[in-house]
Coordinates of all heavy atoms in Angstrom, one line a residue:
M1 N -117.6 44.3 -23.4 CA -117.2 43.5 -22.3 C -116.1 44.2 -21.5 O -115.3 45.0 -22.1 CB -116.6 42.2 -22.8 CG -116.3 41.1 -21.8 SD -115.7 39.6 -22.5 CE -114.0 39.7 -22.0
A2 N -116.1 44.1 -20.3 CA -115.0 44.8 -19.4 C -113.7 44.0 -19.6 O -113.7 42.8 -19.7 CB -115.5 44.8 -18.0
R3 N -112.7 44.8 -19.5 CA -111.4 44.2 -19.5 C -110.7 44.7 -18.2 O -111.1 45.7 -17.6 CB -110.5 44.7 -20.7 CG -110.9 43.9 -21.9 CD -109.7 44.0 -22.9 NE -108.4 43.6 -22.3 CZ -107.4 44.4 -22.3 NH1 -107.4 45.6 -22.9 NH2 -106.2 44.0 -21.8
G4 N -109.8 43.9 -17.7 CA -109.2 44.2 -16.4 C -107.7 44.2 -16.4 O -107.0 43.7 -17.4
E5 N -107.2 44.7 -15.4 CA -105.7 44.7 -15.2 C -105.6 44.7 -13.6 O -106.4 45.2 -12.9 CB -105.2 46.1 -15.7 CG -103.7 46.2 -15.7 CD -103.0 45.7 -17.0 OE1 -103.7 45.7 -18.0 OE2 -101.9 45.3 -16.9
I6 N -104.6 44.0 -13.2 CA -104.4 44.0 -11.7 C -103.0 44.6 -11.4 O -102.1 44.6 -12.1 CB -104.5 42.6 -11.1 CG1 -103.3 41.7 -11.7 CG2 -105.8 42.0 -11.4 CD1 -103.2 40.3 -10.9
V7 N -103.0 45.3 -10.2 CA -101.8 45.8 -9.7 C -101.5 45.1 -8.4 O -102.3 45.0 -7.5 CB -102.0 47.3 -9.4 CG1 -100.7 47.9 -8.8 CG2 -102.4 48.1 -10.7
I8 N -100.3 44.6 -8.3 CA -99.9 43.8 -7.1 C -99.0 44.6 -6.3 O -97.9 45.1 -6.7 CB -99.3 42.5 -7.5 CG1 -100.2 41.6 -8.3 CG2 -98.8 41.7 -6.3 CD1 -99.6 40.4 -9.0
N9 N -99.4 44.8 -5.0 CA -98.5 45.5 -4.1 C -97.5 44.5 -3.6 O -97.8 43.6 -2.7 CB -99.3 46.1 -2.9 CG -98.5 46.8 -1.9 OD1 -97.3 46.5 -1.8 ND2 -99.0 47.7 -1.2
Q10 N -96.3 44.5 -4.1 CA -95.4 43.4 -3.9 C -95.0 43.3 -2.4 O -94.7 42.3 -1.9 CB -94.1 43.7 -4.7 CG -94.4 43.6 -6.2 CD -93.2 43.7 -7.1 OE1 -92.0 43.8 -6.6 NE2 -93.3 43.5 -8.4
N11 N -95.0 44.5 -1.7 CA -94.5 44.4 -0.3 C -95.6 43.7 0.6 O -95.2 43.2 1.6 CB -94.3 45.8 0.2 CG -93.1 46.5 -0.5 OD1 -92.2 45.8 -0.9 ND2 -93.1 47.8 -0.6
N12 N -96.8 43.7 0.1 CA -97.9 43.0 0.9 C -98.0 41.6 0.7 O -98.5 40.8 1.5 CB -99.2 43.7 0.7 CG -99.4 45.0 1.4 OD1 -98.5 45.5 1.9 ND2 -100.6 45.6 1.3
C13 N -97.5 41.1 -0.5 CA -97.7 39.8 -0.9 C -96.9 38.8 0.0 O -95.7 39.1 0.4 CB -97.2 39.6 -2.4 SG -97.4 37.9 -3.0
R14 N -97.5 37.6 0.3 CA -96.9 36.6 1.1 C -96.7 35.3 0.3 O -96.5 34.2 0.9 CB -97.6 36.3 2.4 CG -97.6 37.6 3.3 CD -96.2 37.9 3.8 NE -96.1 39.0 4.7 CZ -95.9 40.3 4.3 NH1 -95.8 40.6 3.0 NH2 -95.9 41.2 5.2
G15 N -97.0 35.4 -1.0 CA -96.7 34.2 -1.9 C -97.6 33.0 -1.7 O -97.2 31.9 -2.1
C16 N -98.8 33.2 -1.2 CA -99.6 32.0 -0.9 C -100.2 31.4 -2.1 O -100.5 30.2 -2.1 CB -100.8 32.5 0.0 SG -101.9 33.6 -0.7
G17 N -100.3 32.1 -3.2 CA -100.8 31.5 -4.4 C -102.3 31.5 -4.5 O -102.9 30.9 -5.5
Y18 N -103.1 32.0 -3.6 CA -104.5 32.0 -3.7 C -105.0 32.7 -4.9 O -106.0 32.3 -5.6 CB -105.2 32.7 -2.5 CG -105.2 31.9 -1.2 CD1 -104.5 30.7 -1.1 CD2 -105.8 32.4 -0.1 CE1 -104.5 30.0 0.1 CE2 -105.8 31.7 1.1 CZ -105.1 30.5 1.2 OH -105.1 29.8 2.4
C19 N -104.4 33.8 -5.3 CA -104.8 34.6 -6.5 C -104.7 33.7 -7.7 O -105.6 33.7 -8.5 CB -104.0 35.8 -6.6 SG -102.2 35.6 -6.6
Q20 N -103.7 32.9 -7.8 CA -103.6 32.0 -9.0 C -104.6 30.9 -8.9 O -105.3 30.6 -9.9 CB -102.2 31.4 -9.0 CG -102.0 30.4 -10.1 CD -100.7 29.6 -10.0 OE1 -100.3 29.3 -8.9 NE2 -100.2 29.2 -11.1
A21 N -104.8 30.4 -7.7 CA -105.8 29.3 -7.6 C -107.2 29.7 -7.9 O -108.0 28.9 -8.4 CB -105.7 28.7 -6.2
F22 N -107.6 30.9 -7.5 CA -109.0 31.3 -7.7 C -109.3 32.1 -8.9 O -110.4 32.4 -9.2 CB -109.4 32.2 -6.4 CG -109.6 31.3 -5.2 CD1 -108.6 31.2 -4.3 CD2 -110.8 30.7 -5.0 CE1 -108.8 30.4 -3.2 CE2 -111.0 29.9 -3.9 CZ -110.0 29.7 -3.0
C23 N -108.3 32.4 -9.7 CA -108.6 33.1 -11.0 C -109.1 32.0 -12.0 O -108.3 31.2 -12.5 CB -107.4 33.8 -11.6 SG -107.7 34.5 -13.2
K24 N -110.3 32.0 -12.3 CA -110.9 31.0 -13.2 C -110.5 31.2 -14.6 O -110.7 30.3 -15.4 CB -112.4 31.0 -13.1 CG -112.9 30.6 -11.7 CD -114.4 30.5 -11.7 CE -114.9 29.9 -10.4 NZ -116.3 30.1 -10.1
R25 N -109.9 32.4 -14.9 CA -109.5 32.6 -16.3 C -108.1 32.3 -16.6 O -107.5 32.6 -17.7 CB -109.9 34.0 -16.7 CG -111.4 34.3 -16.6 CD -111.8 35.7 -17.0 NE -111.7 35.9 -18.4 CZ -112.7 35.6 -19.3 NH1 -113.8 35.2 -18.9 NH2 -112.5 35.9 -20.6
G26 N -107.4 31.9 -15.6 CA -106.0 31.5 -15.7 C -105.0 32.7 -16.0 O -104.0 32.5 -16.7
C27 N -105.4 33.8 -15.5 CA -104.6 35.0 -15.9 C -103.3 35.1 -15.0 O -102.3 35.7 -15.4 CB -105.4 36.3 -15.6 SG -106.9 36.3 -16.5
I28 N -103.3 34.5 -13.8 CA -102.2 34.8 -12.9 C -101.4 33.5 -12.7 O -102.0 32.4 -12.6 CB -102.8 35.1 -11.5 CG1 -103.7 36.4 -11.6 CG2 -101.7 35.3 -10.5 CD1 -104.4 36.8 -10.3
V29 N -100.1 33.6 -12.7 CA -99.2 32.5 -12.4 C -98.2 33.0 -11.4 O -97.9 34.2 -11.4 CB -98.5 32.0 -13.7 CG1 -99.5 31.4 -14.7 CG2 -97.6 33.1 -14.3
M30 N -97.8 32.1 -10.6 CA -96.7 32.4 -9.7 C -95.4 32.3 -10.4 O -95.1 31.4 -11.2 CB -96.7 31.4 -8.5 CG -98.0 31.3 -7.7 SD -98.5 33.0 -7.0 CE -97.2 33.2 -5.7
S31 N -94.6 33.4 -10.3 CA -93.4 33.4 -11.0 C -92.4 32.4 -10.4 O -92.6 31.9 -9.3 CB -92.8 34.8 -10.9 OG -92.2 35.0 -9.6
E32 N -91.4 32.1 -11.1 CA -90.4 31.2 -10.6 C -89.1 31.9 -10.1 O -88.3 31.3 -9.4 CB -90.0 30.2 -11.8 CG -91.1 29.3 -12.2 CD -90.7 28.3 -13.2 OE1 -89.6 28.4 -13.7 OE2 -91.6 27.5 -13.6
D33 N -89.0 33.2 -10.4 CA -87.8 33.9 -10.1 C -88.0 35.3 -9.6 O -87.0 36.1 -9.7 CB -86.8 33.8 -11.3 CG -87.4 34.4 -12.5 OD1 -88.6 34.9 -12.5 OD2 -86.8 34.3 -13.6
K34 N -89.2 35.6 -9.3 CA -89.5 37.0 -8.8 C -89.9 37.0 -7.4 O -90.9 36.4 -7.0 CB -90.6 37.6 -9.7 CG -90.5 39.0 -10.0 CD -91.5 39.5 -11.0 CE -91.7 41.0 -10.8 NZ -93.1 41.3 -11.1
F35 N -89.1 37.6 -6.5 CA -89.4 37.6 -5.1 C -89.5 39.1 -4.6 O -88.9 40.0 -5.2 CB -88.2 36.9 -4.4 CG -88.0 35.5 -4.8 CD1 -87.2 35.2 -5.8 CD2 -88.6 34.5 -4.1 CE1 -87.0 33.9 -6.2 CE2 -88.4 33.2 -4.5 CZ -87.6 32.9 -5.5
N36 N -90.3 39.2 -3.5 CA -90.3 40.6 -2.9 C -89.1 40.7 -1.9 O -88.3 39.7 -1.7 CB -91.7 40.9 -2.3 CG -92.0 40.1 -1.1 OD1 -91.2 39.3 -0.6 ND2 -93.3 40.1 -0.7
L37 N -89.1 41.8 -1.2 CA -87.9 42.1 -0.3 C -87.9 41.1 0.9 O -86.9 40.9 1.5 CB -88.0 43.5 0.1 CG -87.7 44.5 -0.9 CD1 -87.8 46.0 -0.4 CD2 -86.2 44.3 -1.5
L38 N -89.1 40.5 1.2 CA -89.1 39.6 2.3 C -88.9 38.2 1.9 O -88.9 37.2 2.7 CB -90.5 39.7 3.0 CG -90.9 41.0 3.6 CD1 -92.3 41.0 4.1 CD2 -90.0 41.3 4.8
G39 N -88.7 38.0 0.6 CA -88.3 36.7 0.0 C -89.5 35.8 -0.4 O -89.3 34.6 -0.7
Y40 N -90.7 36.4 -0.5 CA -91.8 35.6 -0.9 C -91.9 35.7 -2.4 O -91.7 36.7 -3.1 CB -93.1 36.2 -0.3 CG -93.2 36.0 1.1 CD1 -93.0 37.1 2.0 CD2 -93.6 34.8 1.7 CE1 -93.1 36.9 3.4 CE2 -93.7 34.6 3.0 CZ -93.4 35.7 3.9 OH -93.5 35.5 5.2
I41 N -92.2 34.5 -3.0 CA -92.4 34.4 -4.5 C -93.6 35.2 -4.9 O -94.6 35.2 -4.2 CB -92.5 33.0 -4.9 CG1 -92.3 32.8 -6.4 CG2 -93.8 32.3 -4.4 CD1 -91.0 32.3 -6.8
L42 N -93.5 35.9 -6.0 CA -94.6 36.8 -6.4 C -95.4 36.3 -7.6 O -94.9 35.6 -8.4 CB -94.0 38.2 -6.8 CG -93.3 39.0 -5.7 CD1 -92.5 40.1 -6.3 CD2 -94.4 39.6 -4.8
P43 N -96.7 36.6 -7.6 CA -97.5 36.3 -8.7 C -97.3 37.3 -9.8 O -97.0 38.5 -9.5 CB -98.9 36.3 -8.1 CG -98.8 37.3 -7.0 CD -97.4 37.3 -6.5
I44 N -97.6 36.9 -11.0 CA -97.6 37.9 -12.1 C -98.9 37.7 -13.0 O -99.4 36.6 -13.1 CB -96.4 37.7 -13.0 CG1 -96.2 36.3 -13.5 CG2 -95.1 38.2 -12.3 CD1 -95.0 36.1 -14.5
L45 N -99.3 38.8 -13.6 CA -100.4 38.7 -14.5 C -99.9 38.3 -15.8 O -99.3 39.0 -16.6 CB -101.1 40.1 -14.6 CG -102.3 40.2 -15.5 CD1 -103.5 39.3 -15.0 CD2 -102.8 41.6 -15.6
A46 N -100.1 37.0 -16.1 CA -99.4 36.4 -17.3 C -100.2 36.6 -18.6 O -99.7 36.6 -19.6 CB -99.2 34.9 -17.1
D47 N -101.5 36.8 -18.4 CA -102.4 36.9 -19.6 C -103.4 38.0 -19.3 O -104.6 37.7 -19.0 CB -103.0 35.6 -20.0 CG -103.7 35.6 -21.3 OD1 -103.8 36.7 -21.9 OD2 -104.1 34.6 -21.8
S48 N -103.1 39.2 -19.5 CA -104.0 40.3 -19.2 C -105.1 40.4 -20.1 O -106.2 40.9 -19.8 CB -103.2 41.7 -19.1 OG -102.7 41.9 -20.4
D49 N -105.0 39.9 -21.3 CA -106.1 39.9 -22.3 C -107.3 39.1 -21.8 O -108.4 39.3 -22.2 CB -105.6 39.3 -23.6 CG -104.7 40.3 -24.4 OD1 -104.7 41.5 -24.0 OD2 -104.1 39.9 -25.3
R50 N -107.0 38.1 -21.0 CA -108.1 37.3 -20.5 C -108.8 37.8 -19.2 O -109.9 37.4 -18.8 CB -107.6 35.9 -20.2 CG -107.2 35.1 -21.4 CD -106.5 33.8 -21.1 NE -107.4 32.9 -20.3 CZ -108.4 32.2 -20.8 NH1 -108.6 32.2 -22.1 NH2 -109.1 31.4 -20.0
C51 N -108.2 38.8 -18.6 CA -108.8 39.3 -17.3 C -110.0 40.2 -17.6 O -110.0 41.1 -18.5 CB -107.7 40.2 -16.7 SG -108.3 41.0 -15.1
N52 N -111.1 39.8 -16.9 CA -112.4 40.5 -17.1 C -112.7 41.4 -15.9 O -113.9 41.8 -15.7 CB -113.5 39.5 -17.5 CG -113.8 38.6 -16.3 OD1 -113.1 38.6 -15.3 ND2 -114.8 37.8 -16.5
A53 N -111.8 41.6 -15.1 CA -111.9 42.5 -13.9 C -113.0 41.9 -12.9 O -113.7 42.7 -12.3 CB -112.3 43.9 -14.3
C54 N -113.1 40.6 -12.8 CA -114.1 40.0 -11.9 C -113.8 40.4 -10.5 O -114.8 40.4 -9.6 CB -114.2 38.5 -12.1 SG -112.8 37.6 -11.5
G55 N -112.6 40.6 -10.1 CA -112.2 41.0 -8.8 C -112.0 39.9 -7.8 O -111.6 40.1 -6.6
V56 N -112.1 38.7 -8.2 CA -112.0 37.5 -7.3 C -110.6 37.5 -6.7 O -110.4 37.2 -5.5 CB -112.3 36.2 -8.0 CG1 -112.0 35.0 -7.1 CG2 -113.8 36.2 -8.3
C57 N -109.6 37.7 -7.5 CA -108.2 37.6 -7.0 C -108.0 38.6 -5.8 O -107.4 38.2 -4.8 CB -107.2 37.8 -8.1 SG -107.4 39.4 -9.0
G58 N -108.5 39.8 -6.0 CA -108.4 40.8 -5.0 C -109.2 40.4 -3.7 O -108.7 40.7 -2.6
Q59 N -110.3 39.8 -3.9 CA -111.1 39.4 -2.7 C -110.5 38.3 -2.0 O -110.7 38.2 -0.8 CB -112.5 39.0 -3.2 CG -113.4 40.2 -3.7 CD -114.5 39.8 -4.6 OE1 -114.9 38.6 -4.6 NE2 -115.1 40.7 -5.3
M60 N -109.8 37.4 -2.7 CA -109.3 36.2 -2.0 C -107.9 36.4 -1.4 O -107.5 35.6 -0.6 CB -109.2 35.0 -3.1 CG -110.5 34.6 -3.6 SD -111.7 34.2 -2.3 CE -111.0 32.9 -1.4
C61 N -107.3 37.5 -1.8 CA -105.9 37.8 -1.3 C -106.0 38.1 0.2 O -106.6 39.1 0.6 CB -105.2 38.9 -2.0 SG -103.6 39.3 -1.3
P62 N -105.4 37.3 1.1 CA -105.5 37.5 2.5 C -104.8 38.8 3.0 O -104.9 39.2 4.1 CB -104.9 36.3 3.2 CG -104.6 35.3 2.1 CD -104.6 36.1 0.8
H63 N -103.9 39.3 2.1 CA -103.1 40.4 2.5 C -103.4 41.7 1.8 O -102.5 42.6 1.8 CB -101.6 40.0 2.4 CG -101.2 38.8 3.2 ND1 -101.0 38.9 4.6 CD2 -101.1 37.5 2.9 CE1 -100.8 37.7 5.1 NE2 -100.9 36.9 4.1
F64 N -104.5 41.7 1.1 CA -105.0 43.0 0.4 C -103.9 43.5 -0.5 O -103.6 44.7 -0.6 CB -105.4 44.0 1.5 CG -106.4 43.5 2.5 CD1 -106.0 43.2 3.7 CD2 -107.7 43.3 2.1 CE1 -106.9 42.7 4.7 CE2 -108.6 42.9 3.0 CZ -108.2 42.5 4.3
A65 N -103.2 42.6 -1.2 CA -102.1 43.0 -2.1 C -102.5 43.2 -3.5 O -101.7 43.6 -4.3 CB -101.0 41.9 -2.0
I66 N -103.8 43.0 -3.9 CA -104.2 43.1 -5.3 C -105.2 44.2 -5.4 O -106.3 44.2 -4.8 CB -104.7 41.8 -5.8 CG1 -103.6 40.7 -5.7 CG2 -105.1 42.0 -7.3 CD1 -104.0 39.4 -6.3
E67 N -105.0 45.1 -6.4 CA -106.0 46.1 -6.8 C -106.4 45.7 -8.2 O -105.6 45.5 -9.0 CB -105.4 47.5 -6.7 CG -106.4 48.6 -7.1 CD -105.7 50.0 -7.0 OE1 -104.6 50.1 -6.6 OE2 -106.4 50.9 -7.5
V68 N -107.7 45.7 -8.4 CA -108.2 45.3 -9.7 C -108.7 46.6 -10.4 O -109.5 47.3 -9.9 CB -109.4 44.3 -9.6 CG1 -109.9 44.0 -11.0 CG2 -108.9 43.0 -8.9
C69 N -108.3 46.8 -11.6 CA -108.7 48.0 -12.4 C -109.6 47.4 -13.5 O -109.3 46.4 -14.2 CB -107.5 48.7 -13.0 SG -106.3 49.2 -11.8
K70 N -110.7 48.2 -13.8 CA -111.7 47.7 -14.8 C -111.8 48.8 -15.9 O -111.9 49.9 -15.6 CB -113.0 47.6 -14.1 CG -114.1 47.0 -15.0 CD -115.4 46.8 -14.1 CE -116.4 46.0 -14.8 NZ -117.6 45.7 -14.0
F71 N -111.7 48.3 -17.1 CA -111.8 49.2 -18.3 C -113.0 48.7 -19.1 O -113.3 47.5 -19.3 CB -110.6 49.0 -19.2 CG -109.3 49.3 -18.4 CD1 -108.5 48.3 -18.0 CD2 -108.8 50.6 -18.2 CE1 -107.3 48.5 -17.3 CE2 -107.7 50.9 -17.6 CZ -106.9 49.8 -17.1
I72 N -113.8 49.7 -19.5 CA -115.0 49.4 -20.3 C -114.6 49.7 -21.8 O -114.2 50.8 -22.1 CB -116.2 50.2 -19.9 CG1 -116.5 50.0 -18.4 CG2 -117.4 49.9 -20.8 CD1 -116.9 48.7 -18.0
E73 N -114.8 48.6 -22.6 CA -114.5 48.8 -24.1 C -115.7 49.3 -24.8 O -116.8 48.8 -24.6 CB -114.0 47.5 -24.7 CG -112.6 47.1 -24.2 CD -112.2 45.8 -24.9 OE1 -113.1 45.0 -25.3 OE2 -111.0 45.6 -24.9
N74 N -115.6 50.4 -25.6 CA -116.7 50.9 -26.3 C -116.8 50.2 -27.7 O -115.9 49.8 -28.3 CB -116.6 52.4 -26.5 CG -116.7 53.1 -25.2 OD1 -117.6 52.8 -24.4 ND2 -115.8 54.1 -24.9
Ligands
SF4_1 S1 -109.8 40.2 -11.8 FE1 -110.6 38.1 -12.1 S2 -110.0 37.5 -14.2 FE2 -108.7 39.3 -13.6 S3 -106.9 38.3 -12.7 FE3 -108.3 38.7 -11.0 S4 -109.5 36.7 -10.8 FE4 -108.5 36.7 -12.8
SF4_2 S1 -103.2 36.0 -2.9 FE1 -102.2 37.9 -2.3 S2 -100.6 37.2 -0.8 FE2 -101.2 35.4 -1.9 S3 -99.8 35.2 -3.7 FE3 -101.6 36.4 -4.4 S4 -101.0 38.5 -4.1 FE4 -99.6 37.3 -2.9

């Protein structure tokens, strides 16, 4: 099974929360105290073990702030 990891470009993020809303595996949560330089609240990958690199979060981000990395386990 593929495992995933996401990289969030903090400067591009606008704190909309779409990534959290659309991750069906519940990997992403909006932080309560982490903001970017523009003052937007940032998402964090709270449970990377559950990420299967589906790519939905990256596709739904309106600001192209998420890169999804996919790892294949042997
Ligand atoms: S790649 Fe898929 S499973 Fe991983 S955080 Fe994004 S939406 Fe969730
Ligand atoms: S969808 Fe994109 S802009 Fe919105 S909170 Fe997630 S990373 Fe930030």
Side-chain angles (χ1 to χ4, degrees):
M1 192 178 107
R3 282 202 51 237
E5 187 89 26
I6 63 171
V7 179
I8 299 168
N9 181 332
Q10 297 188 355
N11 293 329
N12 283 8
C13 179
R14 295 298 181 268
C16 66
Y18 284 7
C19 51
Q20 178 189 31
F22 284 96
C23 176
K24 291 184 177 168
R25 299 181 72 88
C27 305
I28 301 174
V29 296
M30 300 304 288
S31 74
E32 294 181 359
D33 56 4
K34 210 170 159 218
F35 301 85
N36 67 11
L37 291 176
L38 295 173
Y40 292 103
I41 192 105
L42 290 167
I44 51 175
L45 181 63
D47 191 351
S48 62
D49 287 347
R50 292 175 57 79
C51 178
N52 65 357
C54 70
V56 170
C57 55
Q59 291 163 12
M60 296 310 297
C61 176
H63 299 283
F64 307 103
I66 300 180
E67 182 181 351
V68 179
C69 305
K70 185 175 190 175
F71 305 98
I72 305 294
E73 289 180 338
N74 294 316

